[in-house]
Amino acid sequence: MEKVDIEARAQRARALFVEGYNCAQSVFLAYADLYGLSPALAATIAGPLGGGMGRLREVCGAVSAAFLLTGLRYPCADPRDREAKSRSYRVVQELAHRFREENGSILCRELLGLEGQNCSPEPSPRTESYYKRRPCADYVERAARIIGKKLNEEDR
């Protein structure tokens, strides 16, 4: 795989989020072309992971998208291929560690300070005040950088 322009991909992910895509879609769409996925298919695959998995506020959607991209870069399609499965899991754990180290958590509710709040399935309207009070665009950009760095590493 040829090297990706990490900063361009990170900025693209941020721009996609500001356009209205959720956190998972934004990161996944920023790299989906590398794997021949159409934007519509990529947005469909990553869509349910926004808001910490369907707005459950669990694992941040931007982080989940990085995990999906891990599956494309380090596939483990054969259920008997323990080596491939271990490699994929190792990369997922590494990415989670990098994101947690940089941001304090990989959980949406902790990143947004939403502990104990109701998790409505209704998406929040994307208004100017939404963007001012939510650091999600920053998390999207950071997750896109983290996965970009990993994608640029040589295979081990």
Side-chain angles (χ1 to χ4, degrees):
M1 171 183 267
E2 71 180 59
K3 300 283 185 188
V4 297
D5 182 340
I6 296 168
E7 196 54 37
R9 300 280 175 161
Q11 292 307 312
R12 175 79 177 129
R14 177 183 275 276
L16 288 163
F17 184 78
V18 172
E19 275 181 45
Y21 287 99
N22 71 34
C23 46
Q25 290 170 318
S26 299
V27 173
F28 198 63
L29 278 163
Y31 289 96
D33 64 297
L34 298 176
Y35 303 98
L37 297 175
S38 72
L41 180 59
T44 299
I45 291 168
L49 300 176
M53 301 182 179
R55 292 196 85 226
L56 289 171
R57 306 303 187 191
E58 295 295 335
V59 175
C60 169
V63 175
S64 294
F67 297 164
L68 287 175
L69 290 161
T70 297
L72 293 171
R73 177 70 168 93
Y74 303 97
C76 57
D78 181 348
R80 295 173 305 273
D81 189 345
R82 292 178 55 81
E83 185 178 320
K85 197 179 285 190
S86 291
R87 179 185 58 213
S88 180
Y89 291 170
R90 206 171 23 257
V91 172
V92 164
Q93 289 184 12
E94 177 186 336
L95 295 174
H97 175 76
R98 288 182 186 182
F99 191 89
R100 188 180 293 114
E101 201 169 64
E102 192 172 319
N103 300 290
S105 180
I106 64 168
L107 297 180
C108 175
R109 70 178 160 273
E110 291 177 1
L111 292 166
L112 300 181
L114 299 174
E115 291 289 343
Q117 292 189 23
N118 182 17
C119 298
S120 165
E122 297 301 318
S124 301
R126 296 289 184 91
T127 62
E128 191 175 320
S129 66
Y130 171 91
Y131 290 109
K132 283 184 181 177
R133 74 177 190 276
R134 287 282 171 86
C136 298
D138 294 333
Y139 294 132
V140 162
E141 188 176 328
R142 291 173 194 156
R145 276 194 194 97
I146 289 167
I147 188 61
K149 288 175 186 173
K150 187 63 188 174
L151 296 176
N152 276 346
E153 289 179 7
E154 295 297 319
D155 287 332
R156 296 181 205 167

